Amino acid sequence: MSEKHKERRGIETRAIHAGLGYAEQTGAIIPPLFLTSTFESGNPGGFDYTRSGNPNFRNLEETLASLETASRACVFASGVSAITAIVSTLTSGDLVVAEENVYGCTFRLFEEVFKKFGVEVTYLDLTNVENLAAIENHKPTLVWIESPTNPLLKIIDIAATASAAHAAGASLVVDNTFASSCIQRPLELGADLSLLSTTKYTNGHSDALGGVVCTRSDEWGDKMTFAQKALGLQPSPLDCWLIQRGVKTQALRMARHCENALAVAEFLEKETLASMVRYPFLKSHPQYDLACSQMSGGSGIVTADFELSLDKTVALLDRLDLFKCAESLGGIESLSCHPASMTHASVPGDLRREVGITDSLVRFSVGIETVDDLIDDLRQAFASIGG
Ligand SMILES: *Cc1c(COP(=O)(O)O)cnc(C)c1O
């Protein structure tokens, strides 16, 4: 079987069959878990010490590179480790242009860690084409976006941002966590780096942490491999093994996440007093056409503003039974989250409200349960708070 033919296989097939090395001697269908910190020198795989490589890392890297249509992928201990790896390549005086609705922990890393090392960050609303055109004037080294953004689900035009970044001589980083590799492939749209918190949809079972950076550039690939070992950002072999098991069902899971989330979004829009319901594949989404052009589904996150007081918003989340209130997203189980007090608590209040994260905003990570049960759960929670 030629490599070219393997690359043309469907994403469902590649999720299951790519990255199965190191099982040849035994015939194991699923590669074993290599719980070892070190390797005898001179081994055929060229392994030395697990901080700088392990068969479970390599297998997962091969699978994720295939899904993102990358030539290189480098796995990390978490999404935040992957972000750290990329930002650690900058030097004092370098500038990052970041989308203003950037993930809370990314914002904290920029502001509270890398600022001390002289890395500057300018935040722009990149749904505004004038701001896209102005990227060049800022002379950034990196342009940093997420699409859809957390928690407002703004859609950023990846191809247009890649062109703007490249015109400025910068590399474009796309945090692809909210869409996932099954729904959106940033490298195909011109991004230089696609990063994922594999903790979320890639693993999908809320039982491991991980991150990955995917690229088609050997130079970036080498920088990521260096950061993995030099900064000690490597994952554990067990987490890689779990994530590799999770990814095999990702295509099926994503299809159900999309179906359920659309139904929940339509329910919230039609049958509640929400002043705003955001879901990329709802016709009312301000960038519905762009979402449909760069994503093959809306993914599993729905954000809504019920214009309730802070107390009533908290009460609503409390009354939900299936949607447990917890940080994180992208698992098989449904979760609810109150960004102002949870994921975005590290963003100052004024800035939070300025970018649209009100105290009454609620984010739902819609799981793959029976959809009628999810809608019933929402209905009873609204009834019980008298909303
Ligand atoms: C969760 C998340 C991260 C961080 O990932 P961890 O695995 O929790 O470190 C980064 N970006 C986005 C968009 C996320 O949702």
Side-chain angles (χ1 to χ4, degrees):
M1 192 62 62
S2 75
E3 286 307 312
K4 267 268 157 304
H5 180 85
K6 287 185 182 171
E7 282 167 22
R8 279 200 302 270
R9 286 172 165 168
I11 195 163
E12 295 88 348
T13 310
R14 286 179 282 129
I16 294 165
H17 291 279
L20 296 182
Y22 313 105
E24 292 85 355
Q25 290 81 1
T26 59
I29 293 295
I30 298 299
L33 178 52
F34 290 85
L35 287 177
T36 181
S37 58
T38 192
F39 300 83
E40 185 176 355
S41 57
N43 66 78
F47 294 103
D48 48 41
Y49 183 61
T50 281
R51 177 153 40 72
S52 51
N54 175 289
N56 293 116
F57 303 3
R58 281 204 199 156
N59 286 346
L60 182 60
E61 285 169 347
E62 200 179 309
T63 307
L64 299 180
S66 176
L67 299 191
E68 289 274 330
T69 62
S71 58
R72 302 272 295 263
C74 189
V75 291
F76 296 98
S78 64
V80 166
S81 306
I83 297 165
T84 302
I86 298 171
V87 186
S88 77
T89 64
L90 301 180
T91 50
S92 175
D94 282 349
L95 178 96
V96 181
V97 165
E99 213 294 319
E100 64 175 11
N101 187 202
V102 78
Y103 182 67
C105 298
T106 307
F107 178 83
R108 185 173 59 195
L109 262 181
F110 285 151
E111 294 300 309
E112 294 185 36
V113 181
F114 286 102
K115 211 171 208 177
K116 291 191 294 194
F117 296 91
V119 173
E120 307 268 339
V121 185
T122 297
Y123 301 91
L124 299 176
D125 173 5
L126 293 180
T127 55
N128 178 338
V129 287
E130 282 169 25
N131 285 339
L132 265 188
I135 286 179
E136 208 168 344
N137 308 335
H138 293 278
K139 303 197 183 355
T141 305
L142 288 182
V143 176
W144 197 288
I145 63 169
E146 293 161 30
S147 188
T149 65
N150 176 36
L152 294 168
L153 309 179
K154 289 200 308 189
I155 306 294
I156 313 299
D157 187 332
I158 297 175
T161 312
S163 302
H166 295 158
S171 295
L172 174 65
V173 183
V174 178
D175 183 331
N176 199 29
T177 304
F178 266 45
S180 89
S181 320
C182 287
I183 281 179
Q184 173 172 280
R185 283 172 295 281
L187 304 181
E188 292 175 1
L189 299 167
D192 301 281
L193 301 171
S194 176
L195 94 88
L196 296 147
S197 163
T198 53
T199 310
K200 315 293 172 52
Y201 289 111
T202 310
N203 180 44
H205 291 74
S206 310
D207 54 10
L209 267 78
V212 67
V213 178
C214 303
T215 181
R216 293 176 176 177
S217 147
D218 279 334
E219 192 187 335
W220 270 114
D222 290 345
K223 285 181 185 173
M224 293 300 96
T225 308
F226 176 81
Q228 186 192 49
K229 67 177 172 193
L231 277 73
L233 299 173
Q234 77 291 338
S236 87
L238 173 60
D239 281 348
C240 289
W241 190 91
L242 284 169
I243 293 165
Q244 184 140 22
R245 181 171 67 166
V247 82
K248 291 179 193 295
T249 56
Q250 192 186 7
L252 275 178
R253 284 187 283 108
M254 290 318 297
R256 180 63 80 88
H257 281 297
C258 292
E259 218 175 279
N260 284 3
L262 181 61
V264 164
E266 284 173 344
F267 163 78
L268 294 175
E269 195 166 56
K270 288 191 193 118
E271 297 188 44
T272 69
L273 295 174
S275 58
M276 186 272 277
V277 178
R278 277 277 177 283
Y279 180 68
F281 272 42
L282 265 188
K283 291 224 169 62
S284 59
H285 192 292
Q287 297 146 300
Y288 172 73
D289 291 333
L290 175 60
C292 293
S293 76
Q294 67 184 22
M295 300 164 76
S296 62
S299 199
I301 311 295
V302 179
T303 299
D305 196 327
F306 302 107
E307 298 234 342
L308 296 168
S309 65
L310 187 76
D311 290 351
K312 273 210 162 179
T313 306
V314 172
L316 176 75
L317 298 192
D318 198 43
R319 302 292 164 82
L320 288 164
D321 175 37
L322 291 173
F323 286 88
K324 295 272 184 297
C325 181
E327 304 235 2
S328 200
L329 59 113
I332 44 184
E333 71 291 320
S334 291
L335 295 176
S336 63
C337 163
H338 181 225
S341 68
M342 298 166 66
T343 51
H344 287 64
S346 56
V347 180
D350 301 349
L351 185 61
R352 217 164 49 216
R353 280 181 286 275
E354 210 175 288
V355 300
I357 302 171
T358 61
D359 286 349
S360 50
L361 196 75
V362 177
R363 184 189 81 190
F364 298 100
S365 173
V366 182
I368 64 170
E369 300 95 334
T370 308
V371 70
D372 291 347
D373 294 333
L374 297 178
I375 290 173
D376 283 350
D377 192 29
L378 290 162
R379 206 176 253 128
Q380 66 75 27
F382 280 108
S384 85
I385 63 156

